[in-house]
Each structure stands twice: as C-alpha cells, then as structure tokens.
Coordinates of all heavy atoms in Angstrom, one line a residue:
N281 N -2.6 -8.9 -8.9 CA -3.0 -7.9 -9.8 C -3.7 -6.8 -9.0 O -4.9 -6.9 -8.8 CB -3.9 -8.4 -10.9 CG -4.3 -7.4 -11.9 OD1 -3.9 -6.2 -11.8 ND2 -5.2 -7.7 -12.8
T282 N -3.0 -5.8 -8.5 CA -3.6 -4.9 -7.5 C -3.8 -3.5 -8.2 O -3.9 -2.5 -7.5 CB -2.6 -4.7 -6.3 OG1 -1.3 -4.4 -6.8 CG2 -2.6 -6.0 -5.5
F283 N -3.8 -3.4 -9.5 CA -4.0 -2.1 -10.1 C -5.3 -1.4 -9.8 O -5.4 -0.2 -9.9 CB -3.8 -2.3 -11.7 CG -2.4 -2.5 -12.1 CD1 -1.9 -3.8 -12.3 CD2 -1.5 -1.4 -12.3 CE1 -0.6 -4.0 -12.7 CE2 -0.2 -1.6 -12.6 CZ 0.3 -2.9 -12.9
D284 N -6.3 -2.2 -9.5 CA -7.6 -1.6 -9.3 C -7.9 -1.5 -7.8 O -9.1 -1.3 -7.4 CB -8.7 -2.5 -9.9 CG -8.7 -3.9 -9.4 OD1 -7.7 -4.4 -9.0 OD2 -9.8 -4.6 -9.4
K285 N -6.9 -1.7 -6.9 CA -7.1 -1.7 -5.5 C -6.3 -0.7 -4.8 O -5.2 -0.4 -5.2 CB -6.8 -3.1 -4.9 CG -7.6 -4.3 -5.5 CD -7.1 -5.6 -4.9 CE -7.9 -6.8 -5.5 NZ -7.4 -8.1 -4.9
V286 N -6.9 -0.2 -3.7 CA -6.1 0.7 -2.8 C -5.7 -0.2 -1.6 O -6.6 -0.7 -0.9 CB -6.9 1.9 -2.3 CG1 -6.0 2.7 -1.3 CG2 -7.3 2.8 -3.5
I287 N -4.4 -0.5 -1.5 CA -3.9 -1.4 -0.5 C -3.9 -0.7 0.8 O -3.3 0.4 0.9 CB -2.6 -2.0 -0.9 CG1 -2.7 -2.8 -2.2 CG2 -2.0 -2.9 0.2 CD1 -1.3 -3.2 -2.8
F288 N -4.4 -1.3 1.9 CA -4.4 -0.7 3.2 C -3.7 -1.6 4.2 O -3.8 -2.8 4.2 CB -5.9 -0.5 3.7 CG -6.0 -0.1 5.1 CD1 -5.9 1.2 5.5 CD2 -6.2 -1.1 6.1 CE1 -6.1 1.6 6.8 CE2 -6.3 -0.7 7.4 CZ -6.3 0.7 7.8
F289 N -2.8 -1.0 5.0 CA -2.1 -1.8 6.0 C -1.9 -0.9 7.3 O -1.4 0.2 7.2 CB -0.8 -2.3 5.5 CG 0.0 -3.1 6.4 CD1 -0.2 -4.5 6.5 CD2 1.0 -2.6 7.3 CE1 0.5 -5.3 7.4 CE2 1.7 -3.4 8.2 CZ 1.4 -4.7 8.2
Y290 N -2.3 -1.4 8.4 CA -2.0 -0.7 9.7 C -1.1 -1.5 10.6 O -1.3 -2.7 10.8 CB -3.3 -0.5 10.4 CG -3.1 0.2 11.8 CD1 -2.6 1.5 11.9 CD2 -3.4 -0.5 13.0 CE1 -2.4 2.1 13.1 CE2 -3.2 0.0 14.2 CZ -2.7 1.4 14.3 OH -2.5 1.9 15.5
D291 N 0.0 -0.9 11.0 CA 1.0 -1.5 11.9 C 0.8 -1.0 13.3 O 1.1 0.2 13.6 CB 2.4 -1.1 11.4 CG 3.5 -1.9 12.1 OD1 3.4 -2.1 13.3 OD2 4.5 -2.3 11.5
K292 N 0.3 -1.9 14.1 CA 0.0 -1.5 15.5 C 1.3 -1.1 16.3 O 1.3 -0.2 17.1 CB -0.7 -2.7 16.3 CG -2.1 -3.0 15.8 CD -2.7 -4.1 16.6 CE -4.1 -4.4 16.1 NZ -4.7 -5.5 16.9
K293 N 2.4 -1.9 16.0 CA 3.6 -1.6 16.7 C 4.1 -0.2 16.5 O 4.6 0.5 17.4 CB 4.7 -2.6 16.3 CG 6.0 -2.5 17.1 CD 6.9 -3.6 16.6 CE 8.2 -3.5 17.4 NZ 9.2 -4.5 17.0
M294 N 4.1 0.2 15.2 CA 4.6 1.6 14.8 C 3.5 2.6 14.8 O 3.8 3.8 14.6 CB 5.2 1.5 13.4 CG 6.5 0.7 13.4 SD 7.4 0.9 11.8 CE 7.9 2.6 12.0
Q295 N 2.2 2.1 15.1 CA 1.1 3.1 15.1 C 1.1 3.9 13.8 O 0.9 5.1 13.8 CB 1.2 4.0 16.3 CG 1.0 3.3 17.7 CD -0.4 2.9 17.9 OE1 -1.3 3.7 17.9 NE2 -0.6 1.6 18.1
S296 N 1.3 3.2 12.7 CA 1.3 3.8 11.4 C 0.4 3.2 10.4 O 0.2 1.9 10.5 CB 2.7 3.8 10.9 OG 3.6 4.6 11.7
T297 N -0.1 4.0 9.5 CA -1.0 3.4 8.5 C -0.4 3.7 7.1 O 0.2 4.7 6.8 CB -2.4 4.2 8.5 OG1 -2.9 4.1 9.8 CG2 -3.4 3.5 7.5
Y298 N -0.6 2.7 6.2 CA 0.0 2.7 4.9 C -1.1 2.5 3.8 O -1.9 1.6 3.9 CB 1.1 1.6 4.7 CG 2.2 1.7 5.7 CD1 2.1 1.1 6.9 CD2 3.4 2.4 5.4 CE1 3.1 1.1 7.9 CE2 4.4 2.4 6.4 CZ 4.2 1.8 7.6 OH 5.3 1.8 8.5
F299 N -1.1 3.4 2.9 CA -2.0 3.3 1.7 C -1.1 3.1 0.5 O -0.2 3.9 0.3 CB -2.9 4.5 1.5 CG -4.0 4.6 2.6 CD1 -3.8 5.2 3.8 CD2 -5.3 4.0 2.4 CE1 -4.7 5.3 4.7 CE2 -6.3 4.1 3.3 CZ -6.0 4.8 4.5
M300 N -1.4 2.2 -0.4 CA -0.6 2.0 -1.6 C -1.5 1.7 -2.8 O -2.6 1.2 -2.7 CB 0.3 0.7 -1.4 CG 1.3 0.9 -0.4 SD 2.5 -0.5 -0.4 CE 3.5 -0.1 1.0
S301 N -1.0 2.1 -4.0 CA -1.6 1.9 -5.2 C -0.6 1.7 -6.3 O 0.4 2.5 -6.4 CB -2.5 3.2 -5.6 OG -3.1 3.0 -6.9
R302 N -0.8 0.6 -7.0 CA 0.2 0.3 -8.1 C -0.1 1.1 -9.3 O -1.1 1.0 -10.0 CB 0.1 -1.2 -8.4 CG 1.3 -1.9 -9.0 CD 1.2 -3.3 -8.9 NE 2.3 -4.0 -9.5 CZ 2.4 -5.4 -9.7 NH1 1.4 -6.1 -9.2 NH2 3.4 -5.9 -10.2
I303 N 0.9 1.9 -9.7 CA 0.8 2.8 -10.9 C 1.2 2.0 -12.2 O 0.4 2.0 -13.1 CB 1.6 4.1 -10.7 CG1 1.3 4.8 -9.4 CG2 1.4 5.0 -11.9 CD1 -0.1 5.2 -9.3
E304 N 2.4 1.6 -12.1 CA 3.0 0.8 -13.2 C 3.4 -0.6 -12.6 O 3.4 -0.8 -11.4 CB 4.2 1.5 -13.8 CG 4.2 3.0 -13.8 CD 3.7 3.6 -15.1 OE1 3.1 2.8 -15.9 OE2 3.9 4.8 -15.3
P305 N 3.7 -1.5 -13.5 CA 4.2 -2.8 -13.0 C 5.3 -2.7 -12.0 O 5.4 -3.5 -11.0 CB 4.6 -3.6 -14.2 CG 3.7 -3.0 -15.3 CD 3.6 -1.6 -15.0
R306 N 6.1 -1.7 -12.1 CA 7.3 -1.5 -11.2 C 7.2 -0.2 -10.3 O 8.2 0.0 -9.6 CB 8.6 -1.5 -12.0 CG 8.9 -2.8 -12.7 CD 10.3 -2.8 -13.4 NE 10.6 -4.1 -13.9 CZ 11.0 -5.1 -13.2 NH1 11.3 -5.0 -12.0 NH2 11.3 -6.3 -13.8
I307 N 6.2 0.5 -10.4 CA 6.1 1.8 -9.7 C 4.8 1.8 -8.8 O 3.7 1.6 -9.4 CB 6.2 3.0 -10.6 CG1 7.5 3.1 -11.3 CG2 5.9 4.3 -9.8 CD1 7.7 4.2 -12.2
T308 N 5.0 2.1 -7.5 CA 3.9 2.1 -6.6 C 3.8 3.4 -5.8 O 4.8 3.9 -5.4 CB 4.0 0.9 -5.6 OG1 4.0 -0.3 -6.3 CG2 2.8 0.9 -4.6
L309 N 2.6 3.9 -5.7 CA 2.3 5.1 -4.9 C 2.1 4.7 -3.5 O 1.4 3.8 -3.2 CB 1.1 5.8 -5.4 CG 0.6 7.0 -4.6 CD1 1.6 8.2 -4.6 CD2 -0.8 7.5 -5.1
V310 N 2.9 5.3 -2.5 CA 2.8 5.0 -1.1 C 2.5 6.2 -0.3 O 3.2 7.2 -0.4 CB 4.2 4.3 -0.7 CG1 4.1 4.0 0.8 CG2 4.5 3.1 -1.5

C-alpha cells in the first residue's frame, strides 16, 4: 500500500534516479 509514499530508487549501473507515486491502483506517476 504505497499511496502515501514517494518511492525512491537509484540505479548505480545506469546512474539514474527514479521517483514514483501511486495515483490509482493501476496508474503510477514516474
């Protein structure tokens, strides 16, 4: 249940950062 969380993920290999937020049960902001 991640509706109240901002998901953070950093990929060292790709040197990229991802932020995600679940808007609807099937739709996520990336």
Side-chain angles (χ1 to χ4, degrees):
N281 183 3
T282 56
F283 286 95
D284 62 331
K285 300 177 182 177
V286 176
I287 300 170
F288 171 86
F289 183 84
Y290 175 67
D291 188 322
K292 292 182 179 180
K293 183 178 181 180
M294 294 190 68
Q295 292 290 300
S296 297
T297 307
Y298 304 85
F299 289 87
M300 296 186 182
S301 176
R302 205 168 178 182
I303 307 298
E304 324 269 14
R306 294 187 175 278
I307 296 180
T308 300
L309 173 66
V310 179

